Amino acid sequence: SSYLFLGCLVLLIRLPFSLSIPHFVSTTLGALAQLNNTTNNTNNNTITSEVHHNILFLFLAGTIDATLDFFCIYLFDTANINIVRGVRLDTFTAIL
């Protein structure tokens, strides 16, 4: 079924975004820990900028991941409905 193929394709496209979320969480927490340990204002501005960028990338990756996850669920559910419908029709045709 084409829905099954599209679902697998969307799942492969979604994979890098899903895997990047833990990376951005850990880099954000690492930068925050580094920010807590520094006293230099120039270095603080750089680290604060890094924290803001990581939070933005985390938000973008999470949003894209959630959107593509919705389409994965929709496409696989539609494929499931079509497969079950085909099996039922074949079974009823064989019975009659």
Side-chain angles (χ1 to χ4, degrees):
S1 155
S2 63
Y3 288 107
L4 191 59
F5 175 74
L6 286 174
C8 290
L9 184 65
V10 171
L11 190 61
L12 286 175
I13 294 170
R14 175 183 168 253
L15 182 64
F17 296 104
S18 182
L19 292 175
S20 69
I21 291 172
H23 165 73
F24 290 124
V25 169
S26 66
T27 54
T28 302
L29 293 176
L32 287 172
Q34 188 178 5
L35 182 66
N36 192 31
N37 292 333
T38 60
T39 57
N40 188 357
N41 284 338
T42 306
N43 200 11
N44 282 350
N45 292 337
T46 305
I47 296 171
T48 303
S49 176
E50 180 183 348
V51 169
H52 288 152
H53 282 105
N54 283 326
I55 290 172
L56 175 66
F57 293 145
L58 176 64
F59 174 76
L60 290 175
T63 303
I64 293 170
D65 181 47
T67 303
L68 292 176
D69 189 39
F70 167 77
F71 285 109
C72 280
I73 292 170
Y74 171 75
L75 291 169
F76 284 131
D77 189 44
T78 305
N80 180 29
I81 290 170
N82 288 339
I83 291 169
V84 170
R85 182 184 300 133
V87 169
R88 283 183 182 168
L89 290 175
D90 291 343
T91 303
F92 290 142
T93 302
I95 291 173
L96 295 176

